[in-house]
Amino acid sequence: MVTIKVPESLYPYFQQAGNSMGVRPGERIYMQGDQANRLYLITKGRVRVYCISKEGEELTIEIVEKGRIFGESSFLYEATRQTTVDAVNEVELVSCTLESLSPYLNQSKELTFILFQLLSSTCSHLSHQLKRSNLYNRYEKVASFLLDETVYPNKDKGIRENCIPYSHEELAVCLGLNRVTVTKVLNDFKQRGWIDLQYKKVIILNRAALSEFIGF
């Protein structure tokens, strides 16, 4: 799936409508249950979007990078946040309200179109996430994630073609699995000759085999 991003030429609309802010690694941007009144554009870095259960278990929805927006629940009247968002690394954001951004939507068809694309992309991602979480076993979850994340290079995530720079722990967090399980699955895939493992890197050697494994 192609990643839709806000081009840098459109950043000034957000900057004029809102405020710039910096966030340190690990710092929380907002919490599940908070009032949803602001939208965020990432101009540098990455954030983790995740849900927290009553028991304190965490389910990562997505790692969101430069050029993308989060906080879409602010489009709904008097909504609350359905997720928690933390900075993964040094992050720079532009924060604005829908009300402050709306005059610029009237000025720029491109801006309006991009926002619609981003919202549609979020819906597609969540649908695929539900399928992976509920219909796939642990082997299929790992295979599906590796394939999805490396379809296209993404310099803002550090992803090159067929190479994802994630540790076993980071993969486990993204997939809602424990690290031991992820390590076992990756080692099995390596023995089959489908991937190679390096320090904080997974390199896909045989996409066709992984695709066939999950029935693509």
Side-chain angles (χ1 to χ4, degrees):
M1 184 171 65
V2 178
T3 300
I4 306 298
K5 295 186 180 183
V6 177
E8 292 190 14
S9 60
L10 297 181
Y11 286 9
Y13 289 116
F14 290 88
Q15 291 162 340
Q16 292 171 54
N19 303 302
S20 297
M21 56 185 290
V23 188
R24 296 186 300 273
E27 188 175 347
R28 183 149 297 162
I29 298 165
Y30 60 71
M31 181 74 179
Q32 190 172 312
D34 287 351
Q35 186 70 28
N37 52 14
R38 302 190 75 82
L39 183 72
Y40 298 85
L41 168 69
I42 304 174
T43 57
K44 176 184 176 182
R46 301 189 296 276
V47 304
R48 180 168 76 102
V49 181
Y50 61 100
C51 296
I52 306 174
S53 71
K54 291 181 180 179
E55 293 74 27
E57 295 180 349
E58 297 179 359
L59 173 64
T60 297
I61 304 300
E62 191 176 8
I63 303 297
V64 184
E65 74 278 15
K66 176 185 174 182
R68 297 180 59 196
I69 62 171
F70 63 93
E72 297 96 328
S73 52
S74 62
F75 282 100
L76 302 175
Y77 180 67
E78 293 187 350
T80 56
R81 300 295 187 192
Q82 300 301 303
T83 57
T84 296
V85 180
D86 295 346
V88 174
N89 52 9
E90 290 287 343
V91 173
E92 293 179 4
L93 304 169
V94 181
S95 166
C96 63
T97 64
L98 182 59
E99 183 180 8
S100 65
L101 187 62
S102 59
Y104 301 101
L105 297 177
N106 294 328
Q107 294 179 26
S108 172
K109 290 183 178 179
E110 184 183 5
L111 177 62
T112 303
F113 186 62
I114 282 290
L115 284 179
F116 277 123
Q117 283 187 311
L118 287 166
L119 291 172
S120 177
S121 177
T122 297
C123 290
S124 295
H125 172 77
L126 290 175
S127 296
H128 191 66
Q129 185 88 341
L130 283 171
K131 178 181 178 182
R132 180 188 291 144
S133 297
N134 294 288
L135 301 180
Y136 288 173
N137 62 36
R138 61 187 183 277
Y139 287 88
E140 292 167 336
K141 286 179 181 179
V142 175
S144 172
F145 185 83
L146 293 177
L147 289 172
D148 288 347
E149 290 294 306
T150 58
V151 171
Y152 300 101
N154 187 329
K155 67 177 182 179
D156 295 310
K157 283 188 176 180
I159 295 172
R160 303 195 308 273
E161 186 176 3
N162 291 327
C163 179
I164 181 169
Y166 287 13
S167 67
H168 295 194
E169 181 65 32
E170 289 168 332
L171 285 172
V173 168
C174 290
L175 289 165
L177 300 171
N178 65 59
R179 186 193 60 77
V180 174
T181 296
V182 169
T183 297
K184 180 179 179 181
V185 172
L186 291 174
N187 285 335
D188 183 59
F189 288 170
K190 181 179 180 179
Q191 289 179 357
R192 300 186 192 204
W194 297 351
I195 66 171
D196 188 25
L197 299 174
Q198 297 180 8
Y199 178 68
K200 289 191 175 183
K201 284 183 181 179
V202 180
I203 301 169
I204 297 177
L205 303 176
N206 193 335
R207 295 189 70 87
L210 286 172
S211 297
E212 185 177 354
F213 181 74
I214 58 177
F216 275 14

mmCIF file of all heavy atoms in Angstrom, residues 53-100:
data_model
loop_
_atom_site.group_PDB
_atom_site.id
_atom_site.type_symbol
_atom_site.label_atom_id
_atom_site.label_comp_id
_atom_site.label_asym_id
_atom_site.label_seq_id
_atom_site.Cartn_x
_atom_site.Cartn_y
_atom_site.Cartn_z
ATOM 1 N N SER A 53 -5.286 -1.354 27.221
ATOM 2 C CA SER A 53 -6.435 -2.044 27.805
ATOM 3 C C SER A 53 -6.568 -1.679 29.278
ATOM 4 O O SER A 53 -5.665 -1.064 29.874
ATOM 5 C CB SER A 53 -6.278 -3.559 27.660
ATOM 6 O OG SER A 53 -5.263 -4.036 28.533
ATOM 7 N N LYS A 54 -7.665 -2.089 29.909
ATOM 8 C CA LYS A 54 -7.875 -1.837 31.333
ATOM 9 C C LYS A 54 -6.802 -2.518 32.177
ATOM 10 O O LYS A 54 -6.473 -2.063 33.269
ATOM 11 C CB LYS A 54 -9.253 -2.340 31.747
ATOM 12 C CG LYS A 54 -10.408 -1.547 31.164
ATOM 13 C CD LYS A 54 -11.737 -2.093 31.642
ATOM 14 C CE LYS A 54 -12.893 -1.290 31.064
ATOM 15 N NZ LYS A 54 -14.217 -1.815 31.510
ATOM 16 N N GLU A 55 -6.254 -3.624 31.641
ATOM 17 C CA GLU A 55 -5.207 -4.370 32.357
ATOM 18 C C GLU A 55 -3.824 -3.786 32.115
ATOM 19 O O GLU A 55 -2.829 -4.293 32.630
ATOM 20 C CB GLU A 55 -5.224 -5.844 31.936
ATOM 21 C CG GLU A 55 -6.480 -6.619 32.359
ATOM 22 C CD GLU A 55 -7.693 -6.265 31.526
ATOM 23 O OE1 GLU A 55 -7.514 -5.857 30.349
ATOM 24 O OE2 GLU A 55 -8.821 -6.373 32.050
ATOM 25 N N GLY A 56 -3.740 -2.744 31.288
ATOM 26 C CA GLY A 56 -2.457 -2.111 31.019
ATOM 27 C C GLY A 56 -1.722 -2.678 29.817
ATOM 28 O O GLY A 56 -0.601 -2.267 29.520
ATOM 29 N N GLU A 57 -2.329 -3.628 29.104
ATOM 30 C CA GLU A 57 -1.694 -4.181 27.904
ATOM 31 C C GLU A 57 -1.773 -3.161 26.764
ATOM 32 O O GLU A 57 -2.766 -2.441 26.630
ATOM 33 C CB GLU A 57 -2.375 -5.487 27.498
ATOM 34 C CG GLU A 57 -2.216 -6.603 28.515
ATOM 35 C CD GLU A 57 -2.920 -7.880 28.071
ATOM 36 O OE1 GLU A 57 -3.685 -7.823 27.095
ATOM 37 O OE2 GLU A 57 -2.695 -8.918 28.712
ATOM 38 N N GLU A 58 -0.725 -3.129 25.955
ATOM 39 C CA GLU A 58 -0.660 -2.167 24.866
ATOM 40 C C GLU A 58 -0.732 -2.868 23.507
ATOM 41 O O GLU A 58 -0.131 -3.922 23.315
ATOM 42 C CB GLU A 58 0.639 -1.358 24.947
ATOM 43 C CG GLU A 58 0.753 -0.527 26.214
ATOM 44 C CD GLU A 58 2.057 0.248 26.290
ATOM 45 O OE1 GLU A 58 2.882 0.112 25.348
ATOM 46 O OE2 GLU A 58 2.267 0.970 27.284
ATOM 47 N N LEU A 59 -1.477 -2.258 22.588
ATOM 48 C CA LEU A 59 -1.567 -2.751 21.214
ATOM 49 C C LEU A 59 -1.180 -1.619 20.282
ATOM 50 O O LEU A 59 -1.865 -0.592 20.211
ATOM 51 C CB LEU A 59 -2.985 -3.225 20.888
ATOM 52 C CG LEU A 59 -3.232 -3.614 19.417
ATOM 53 C CD1 LEU A 59 -2.375 -4.820 19.032
ATOM 54 C CD2 LEU A 59 -4.699 -3.886 19.168
ATOM 55 N N THR A 60 -0.041 -1.772 19.601
ATOM 56 C CA THR A 60 0.413 -0.743 18.672
ATOM 57 C C THR A 60 -0.440 -0.759 17.409
ATOM 58 O O THR A 60 -0.598 -1.792 16.766
ATOM 59 C CB THR A 60 1.890 -0.956 18.301
ATOM 60 O OG1 THR A 60 2.687 -0.830 19.480
ATOM 61 C CG2 THR A 60 2.354 0.079 17.276
ATOM 62 N N ILE A 61 -0.983 0.393 17.071
ATOM 63 C CA ILE A 61 -1.778 0.535 15.849
ATOM 64 C C ILE A 61 -0.868 0.828 14.666
ATOM 65 O O ILE A 61 -0.977 0.223 13.611
ATOM 66 C CB ILE A 61 -2.818 1.664 15.994
ATOM 67 C CG1 ILE A 61 -3.714 1.422 17.217
ATOM 68 C CG2 ILE A 61 -3.652 1.793 14.723
ATOM 69 C CD1 ILE A 61 -4.494 0.137 17.175
ATOM 70 N N GLU A 62 0.071 1.759 14.871
ATOM 71 C CA GLU A 62 0.948 2.140 13.764
ATOM 72 C C GLU A 62 2.084 3.017 14.264
ATOM 73 O O GLU A 62 1.950 3.713 15.271
ATOM 74 C CB GLU A 62 0.139 2.908 12.706
ATOM 75 C CG GLU A 62 0.872 3.128 11.398
ATOM 76 C CD GLU A 62 0.024 3.796 10.338
ATOM 77 O OE1 GLU A 62 -1.090 4.230 10.657
ATOM 78 O OE2 GLU A 62 0.490 3.899 9.187
ATOM 79 N N ILE A 63 3.214 2.966 13.548
ATOM 80 C CA ILE A 63 4.284 3.937 13.700
ATOM 81 C C ILE A 63 4.085 4.960 12.583
ATOM 82 O O ILE A 63 4.063 4.610 11.406
ATOM 83 C CB ILE A 63 5.674 3.287 13.579
ATOM 84 C CG1 ILE A 63 5.839 2.162 14.612
ATOM 85 C CG2 ILE A 63 6.772 4.343 13.746
ATOM 86 C CD1 ILE A 63 5.771 2.610 16.049
ATOM 87 N N VAL A 64 3.917 6.223 12.961
ATOM 88 C CA VAL A 64 3.589 7.279 11.993
ATOM 89 C C VAL A 64 4.788 8.205 11.847
ATOM 90 O O VAL A 64 5.389 8.621 12.843
ATOM 91 C CB VAL A 64 2.347 8.062 12.456
ATOM 92 C CG1 VAL A 64 1.936 9.092 11.400
ATOM 93 C CG2 VAL A 64 1.186 7.110 12.736
ATOM 94 N N GLU A 65 5.127 8.537 10.608
ATOM 95 C CA GLU A 65 6.354 9.262 10.337
ATOM 96 C C GLU A 65 6.104 10.632 9.719
ATOM 97 O O GLU A 65 4.961 11.061 9.538
ATOM 98 C CB GLU A 65 7.268 8.431 9.427
ATOM 99 C CG GLU A 65 6.839 8.343 7.968
ATOM 100 C CD GLU A 65 5.764 7.302 7.686
ATOM 101 O OE1 GLU A 65 5.119 6.811 8.630
ATOM 102 O OE2 GLU A 65 5.544 7.017 6.492
ATOM 103 N N LYS A 66 7.196 11.316 9.384
ATOM 104 C CA LYS A 66 7.165 12.664 8.808
ATOM 105 C C LYS A 66 6.234 12.734 7.603
ATOM 106 O O LYS A 66 6.211 11.845 6.760
ATOM 107 C CB LYS A 66 8.578 13.073 8.378
ATOM 108 C CG LYS A 66 8.646 14.435 7.675
ATOM 109 C CD LYS A 66 10.044 14.728 7.163
ATOM 110 C CE LYS A 66 10.052 16.013 6.327
ATOM 111 N NZ LYS A 66 11.381 16.307 5.759
ATOM 112 N N GLY A 67 5.475 13.825 7.558
ATOM 113 C CA GLY A 67 4.591 14.057 6.424
ATOM 114 C C GLY A 67 3.194 13.498 6.603
ATOM 115 O O GLY A 67 2.328 13.696 5.751
ATOM 116 N N ARG A 68 2.966 12.826 7.724
ATOM 117 C CA ARG A 68 1.641 12.259 7.961
ATOM 118 C C ARG A 68 0.975 12.961 9.135
ATOM 119 O O ARG A 68 1.631 13.642 9.921
ATOM 120 C CB ARG A 68 1.752 10.761 8.200
ATOM 121 C CG ARG A 68 2.298 10.034 6.969
ATOM 122 C CD ARG A 68 2.408 8.558 7.189
ATOM 123 N NE ARG A 68 1.106 7.975 7.507
ATOM 124 C CZ ARG A 68 0.946 6.771 8.049
ATOM 125 N NH1 ARG A 68 1.997 6.042 8.349
ATOM 126 N NH2 ARG A 68 -0.259 6.318 8.307
ATOM 127 N N ILE A 69 -0.323 12.808 9.231
ATOM 128 C CA ILE A 69 -1.069 13.425 10.312
ATOM 129 C C ILE A 69 -1.587 12.355 11.268
ATOM 130 O O ILE A 69 -1.710 11.190 10.907
ATOM 131 C CB ILE A 69 -2.249 14.272 9.786
ATOM 132 C CG1 ILE A 69 -3.260 13.385 9.030
ATOM 133 C CG2 ILE A 69 -1.769 15.417 8.921
ATOM 134 C CD1 ILE A 69 -4.543 14.106 8.679
ATOM 135 N N PHE A 70 -1.861 12.759 12.486
ATOM 136 C CA PHE A 70 -2.549 11.882 13.441
ATOM 137 C C PHE A 70 -3.458 12.764 14.294
ATOM 138 O O PHE A 70 -3.376 14.001 14.258
ATOM 139 C CB PHE A 70 -1.564 11.080 14.293
ATOM 140 C CG PHE A 70 -0.669 11.890 15.180
ATOM 141 C CD1 PHE A 70 -1.032 12.163 16.502
ATOM 142 C CD2 PHE A 70 0.543 12.379 14.715
ATOM 143 C CE1 PHE A 70 -0.213 12.906 17.324
ATOM 144 C CE2 PHE A 70 1.378 13.130 15.539
ATOM 145 C CZ PHE A 70 0.997 13.394 16.845
ATOM 146 N N GLY A 71 -4.335 12.122 15.061
ATOM 147 C CA GLY A 71 -5.317 12.881 15.824
ATOM 148 C C GLY A 71 -6.576 13.154 15.031
ATOM 149 O O GLY A 71 -7.271 14.147 15.252
ATOM 150 N N GLU A 72 -6.884 12.237 14.082
ATOM 151 C CA GLU A 72 -8.037 12.441 13.193
ATOM 152 C C GLU A 72 -9.366 12.477 13.931
ATOM 153 O O GLU A 72 -10.359 12.961 13.380
ATOM 154 C CB GLU A 72 -8.095 11.342 12.119
ATOM 155 C CG GLU A 72 -6.916 11.319 11.165
ATOM 156 C CD GLU A 72 -5.863 10.313 11.588
ATOM 157 O OE1 GLU A 72 -5.721 10.096 12.825
ATOM 158 O OE2 GLU A 72 -5.196 9.748 10.720
ATOM 159 N N SER A 73 -9.391 11.986 15.173
ATOM 160 C CA SER A 73 -10.647 12.019 15.935
ATOM 161 C C SER A 73 -11.105 13.449 16.205
ATOM 162 O O SER A 73 -12.263 13.680 16.568
ATOM 163 C CB SER A 73 -10.494 11.264 17.262
ATOM 164 O OG SER A 73 -9.374 11.720 17.988
ATOM 165 N N SER A 74 -10.203 14.424 15.996
ATOM 166 C CA SER A 74 -10.588 15.828 16.179
ATOM 167 C C SER A 74 -11.580 16.286 15.120
ATOM 168 O O SER A 74 -12.201 17.347 15.255
ATOM 169 C CB SER A 74 -9.352 16.731 16.150
ATOM 170 O OG SER A 74 -8.688 16.651 14.909
ATOM 171 N N PHE A 75 -11.761 15.495 14.053
ATOM 172 C CA PHE A 75 -12.750 15.823 13.037
ATOM 173 C C PHE A 75 -14.173 15.576 13.548
ATOM 174 O O PHE A 75 -15.137 16.032 12.952
ATOM 175 C CB PHE A 75 -12.526 14.988 11.769
ATOM 176 C CG PHE A 75 -11.389 15.492 10.914
ATOM 177 C CD1 PHE A 75 -10.147 14.893 10.961
ATOM 178 C CD2 PHE A 75 -11.566 16.564 10.062
ATOM 179 C CE1 PHE A 75 -9.096 15.346 10.175
ATOM 180 C CE2 PHE A 75 -10.525 17.035 9.272
ATOM 181 C CZ PHE A 75 -9.281 16.424 9.326
ATOM 182 N N LEU A 76 -14.303 14.819 14.638
ATOM 183 C CA LEU A 76 -15.615 14.503 15.191
ATOM 184 C C LEU A 76 -15.960 15.475 16.311
ATOM 185 O O LEU A 76 -15.102 15.846 17.114
ATOM 186 C CB LEU A 76 -15.630 13.065 15.735
ATOM 187 C CG LEU A 76 -15.292 11.966 14.719
ATOM 188 C CD1 LEU A 76 -15.224 10.612 15.419
ATOM 189 C CD2 LEU A 76 -16.325 11.928 13.602
ATOM 190 N N TYR A 77 -17.210 15.847 16.396
ATOM 191 C CA TYR A 77 -17.654 16.826 17.391
ATOM 192 C C TYR A 77 -17.596 16.232 18.795
ATOM 193 O O TYR A 77 -18.140 15.160 19.054
ATOM 194 C CB TYR A 77 -19.082 17.272 17.057
ATOM 195 C CG TYR A 77 -19.647 18.292 18.030
ATOM 196 C CD1 TYR A 77 -19.097 19.581 18.094
ATOM 197 C CD2 TYR A 77 -20.718 17.970 18.842
ATOM 198 C CE1 TYR A 77 -19.605 20.521 18.973
ATOM 199 C CE2 TYR A 77 -21.237 18.909 19.724
ATOM 200 C CZ TYR A 77 -20.686 20.188 19.784
ATOM 201 O OH TYR A 77 -21.199 21.111 20.655
ATOM 202 N N GLU A 78 -16.931 16.932 19.708
ATOM 203 C CA GLU A 78 -16.809 16.545 21.114
ATOM 204 C C GLU A 78 -16.329 15.090 21.283
ATOM 205 O O GLU A 78 -16.810 14.354 22.141
ATOM 206 C CB GLU A 78 -18.145 16.744 21.852
ATOM 207 C CG GLU A 78 -18.545 18.214 21.965
ATOM 208 C CD GLU A 78 -19.773 18.421 22.829
ATOM 209 O OE1 GLU A 78 -20.431 17.414 23.180
ATOM 210 O OE2 GLU A 78 -20.082 19.589 23.142
ATOM 211 N N ALA A 79 -15.385 14.695 20.460
ATOM 212 C CA ALA A 79 -14.852 13.329 20.531
ATOM 213 C C ALA A 79 -13.744 13.253 21.579
ATOM 214 O O ALA A 79 -13.178 14.269 22.004
ATOM 215 C CB ALA A 79 -14.309 12.906 19.172
ATOM 216 N N THR A 80 -13.439 12.031 22.000
ATOM 217 C CA THR A 80 -12.297 11.788 22.872
ATOM 218 C C THR A 80 -11.294 10.911 22.131
ATOM 219 O O THR A 80 -11.659 10.204 21.171
ATOM 220 C CB THR A 80 -12.718 11.097 24.180
ATOM 221 O OG1 THR A 80 -13.414 9.880 23.867
ATOM 222 C CG2 THR A 80 -13.624 12.003 24.995
ATOM 223 N N ARG A 81 -10.058 10.945 22.574
ATOM 224 C CA ARG A 81 -9.008 10.169 21.919
ATOM 225 C C ARG A 81 -9.233 8.677 22.144
ATOM 226 O O ARG A 81 -9.456 8.239 23.272
ATOM 227 C CB ARG A 81 -7.633 10.550 22.472
ATOM 228 C CG ARG A 81 -7.268 12.024 22.286
ATOM 229 C CD ARG A 81 -7.116 12.400 20.844
ATOM 230 N NE ARG A 81 -6.598 13.761 20.707
ATOM 231 C CZ ARG A 81 -6.583 14.438 19.555
ATOM 232 N NH1 ARG A 81 -7.063 13.865 18.464
ATOM 233 N NH2 ARG A 81 -6.087 15.662 19.504
ATOM 234 N N GLN A 82 -9.132 7.915 21.060
ATOM 235 C CA GLN A 82 -9.269 6.467 21.143
ATOM 236 C C GLN A 82 -7.925 5.775 21.298
ATOM 237 O O GLN A 82 -7.869 4.567 21.540
ATOM 238 C CB GLN A 82 -9.977 5.943 19.885
ATOM 239 C CG GLN A 82 -11.360 6.511 19.673
ATOM 240 C CD GLN A 82 -12.286 6.227 20.835
ATOM 241 O OE1 GLN A 82 -12.481 5.064 21.194
ATOM 242 N NE2 GLN A 82 -12.857 7.260 21.436
ATOM 243 N N THR A 83 -6.847 6.549 21.149
ATOM 244 C CA THR A 83 -5.496 5.985 21.231
ATOM 245 C C THR A 83 -4.600 6.896 22.051
ATOM 246 O O THR A 83 -4.946 8.047 22.345
ATOM 247 C CB THR A 83 -4.877 5.829 19.826
ATOM 248 O OG1 THR A 83 -4.865 7.118 19.172
ATOM 249 C CG2 THR A 83 -5.648 4.836 18.982
ATOM 250 N N THR A 84 -3.435 6.361 22.405
ATOM 251 C CA THR A 84 -2.371 7.133 23.047
ATOM 252 C C THR A 84 -1.243 7.299 22.033
ATOM 253 O O THR A 84 -0.996 6.399 21.228
ATOM 254 C CB THR A 84 -1.851 6.399 24.300
ATOM 255 O OG1 THR A 84 -2.919 6.307 25.254
ATOM 256 C CG2 THR A 84 -0.679 7.126 24.939
ATOM 257 N N VAL A 85 -0.555 8.433 22.069
ATOM 258 C CA VAL A 85 0.523 8.687 21.113
ATOM 259 C C VAL A 85 1.769 9.159 21.863
ATOM 260 O O VAL A 85 1.707 10.116 22.643
ATOM 261 C CB VAL A 85 0.129 9.733 20.051
ATOM 262 C CG1 VAL A 85 1.287 9.971 19.084
ATOM 263 C CG2 VAL A 85 -1.107 9.292 19.292
ATOM 264 N N ASP A 86 2.896 8.470 21.637
ATOM 265 C CA ASP A 86 4.195 8.838 22.218
ATOM 266 C C ASP A 86 5.208 9.082 21.101
ATOM 267 O O ASP A 86 5.110 8.485 20.020
ATOM 268 C CB ASP A 86 4.742 7.710 23.102
ATOM 269 C CG ASP A 86 3.893 7.449 24.334
ATOM 270 O OD1 ASP A 86 3.040 8.290 24.669
ATOM 271 O OD2 ASP A 86 4.072 6.382 24.947
ATOM 272 N N ALA A 87 6.183 9.932 21.372
ATOM 273 C CA ALA A 87 7.273 10.151 20.423
ATOM 274 C C ALA A 87 8.228 8.960 20.446
ATOM 275 O O ALA A 87 8.587 8.472 21.520
ATOM 276 C CB ALA A 87 8.025 11.429 20.766
ATOM 277 N N VAL A 88 8.635 8.493 19.272
ATOM 278 C CA VAL A 88 9.617 7.414 19.170
ATOM 279 C C VAL A 88 11.026 7.988 19.256
ATOM 280 O O VAL A 88 11.893 7.451 19.947
ATOM 281 C CB VAL A 88 9.436 6.638 17.844
ATOM 282 C CG1 VAL A 88 10.550 5.606 17.666
ATOM 283 C CG2 VAL A 88 8.070 5.955 17.807
ATOM 284 N N ASN A 89 11.251 9.086 18.539
ATOM 285 C CA ASN A 89 12.544 9.767 18.569
ATOM 286 C C ASN A 89 12.275 11.266 18.710
ATOM 287 O O ASN A 89 11.196 11.660 19.122
ATOM 288 C CB ASN A 89 13.373 9.427 17.322
ATOM 289 C CG ASN A 89 12.589 9.652 16.029
ATOM 290 O OD1 ASN A 89 11.487 10.208 16.035
ATOM 291 N ND2 ASN A 89 13.150 9.229 14.912
ATOM 292 N N GLU A 90 13.260 12.098 18.377
ATOM 293 C CA GLU A 90 13.026 13.543 18.421
ATOM 294 C C GLU A 90 11.981 13.906 17.368
ATOM 295 O O GLU A 90 12.158 13.623 16.184
ATOM 296 C CB GLU A 90 14.324 14.301 18.149
ATOM 297 C CG GLU A 90 15.357 14.204 19.259
ATOM 298 C CD GLU A 90 14.968 15.035 20.481
ATOM 299 O OE1 GLU A 90 14.091 15.921 20.346
ATOM 300 O OE2 GLU A 90 15.551 14.806 21.553
ATOM 301 N N VAL A 91 10.903 14.511 17.818
ATOM 302 C CA VAL A 91 9.778 14.784 16.925
ATOM 303 C C VAL A 91 9.477 16.274 16.892
ATOM 304 O O VAL A 91 9.537 16.956 17.912
ATOM 305 C CB VAL A 91 8.514 14.016 17.400
ATOM 306 C CG1 VAL A 91 7.285 14.417 16.586
ATOM 307 C CG2 VAL A 91 8.735 12.518 17.297
ATOM 308 N N GLU A 92 9.165 16.762 15.690
ATOM 309 C CA GLU A 92 8.665 18.122 15.524
ATOM 310 C C GLU A 92 7.282 18.045 14.903
ATOM 311 O O GLU A 92 7.077 17.304 13.927
ATOM 312 C CB GLU A 92 9.617 18.948 14.657
ATOM 313 C CG GLU A 92 10.963 19.201 15.320
ATOM 314 C CD GLU A 92 11.929 19.998 14.450
ATOM 315 O OE1 GLU A 92 11.502 20.429 13.346
ATOM 316 O OE2 GLU A 92 13.082 20.167 14.867
ATOM 317 N N LEU A 93 6.345 18.771 15.481
ATOM 318 C CA LEU A 93 4.947 18.715 15.068
ATOM 319 C C LEU A 93 4.402 20.106 14.804
ATOM 320 O O LEU A 93 4.915 21.093 15.325
ATOM 321 C CB LEU A 93 4.086 18.083 16.167
ATOM 322 C CG LEU A 93 4.445 16.701 16.692
ATOM 323 C CD1 LEU A 93 3.632 16.414 17.951
ATOM 324 C CD2 LEU A 93 4.164 15.648 15.625
ATOM 325 N N VAL A 94 3.326 20.140 14.016
ATOM 326 C CA VAL A 94 2.486 21.323 13.941
ATOM 327 C C VAL A 94 1.118 20.905 14.440
ATOM 328 O O VAL A 94 0.533 19.947 13.938
ATOM 329 C CB VAL A 94 2.381 21.890 12.515
ATOM 330 C CG1 VAL A 94 1.501 23.131 12.517
ATOM 331 C CG2 VAL A 94 3.758 22.222 11.963
ATOM 332 N N SER A 95 0.625 21.603 15.456
ATOM 333 C CA SER A 95 -0.652 21.289 16.078
ATOM 334 C C SER A 95 -1.661 22.369 15.721
ATOM 335 O O SER A 95 -1.371 23.561 15.858
ATOM 336 C CB SER A 95 -0.474 21.209 17.599
ATOM 337 O OG SER A 95 -1.709 21.221 18.259
ATOM 338 N N CYS A 96 -2.838 21.976 15.246
ATOM 339 C CA CYS A 96 -3.856 22.958 14.894
ATOM 340 C C CYS A 96 -5.252 22.377 15.118
ATOM 341 O O CYS A 96 -5.417 21.154 15.225
ATOM 342 C CB CYS A 96 -3.704 23.427 13.449
ATOM 343 S SG CYS A 96 -3.913 22.130 12.209
ATOM 344 N N THR A 97 -6.232 23.230 15.176
ATOM 345 C CA THR A 97 -7.614 22.783 15.274
ATOM 346 C C THR A 97 -8.205 22.724 13.867
ATOM 347 O O THR A 97 -7.708 23.379 12.939
ATOM 348 C CB THR A 97 -8.457 23.740 16.125
ATOM 349 O OG1 THR A 97 -8.516 25.021 15.474
ATOM 350 C CG2 THR A 97 -7.854 23.898 17.520
ATOM 351 N N LEU A 98 -9.271 21.960 13.719
ATOM 352 C CA LEU A 98 -9.956 21.900 12.431
ATOM 353 C C LEU A 98 -10.526 23.268 12.073
ATOM 354 O O LEU A 98 -10.503 23.676 10.905
ATOM 355 C CB LEU A 98 -11.064 20.852 12.477
ATOM 356 C CG LEU A 98 -11.848 20.628 11.180
ATOM 357 C CD1 LEU A 98 -10.918 20.205 10.050
ATOM 358 C CD2 LEU A 98 -12.943 19.595 11.385
ATOM 359 N N GLU A 99 -10.996 23.979 13.088
ATOM 360 C CA GLU A 99 -11.558 25.307 12.849
ATOM 361 C C GLU A 99 -10.521 26.266 12.284
ATOM 362 O O GLU A 99 -10.796 27.031 11.349
ATOM 363 C CB GLU A 99 -12.129 25.870 14.159
ATOM 364 C CG GLU A 99 -12.798 27.223 14.005
ATOM 365 C CD GLU A 99 -13.358 27.751 15.308
ATOM 366 O OE1 GLU A 99 -13.097 27.125 16.362
ATOM 367 O OE2 GLU A 99 -14.057 28.791 15.285
ATOM 368 N N SER A 100 -9.290 26.229 12.839
ATOM 369 C CA SER A 100 -8.249 27.129 12.356
ATOM 370 C C SER A 100 -7.730 26.722 10.982
ATOM 371 O O SER A 100 -7.235 27.555 10.218
ATOM 372 C CB SER A 100 -7.088 27.185 13.356
ATOM 373 O OG SER A 100 -6.447 25.915 13.460
#
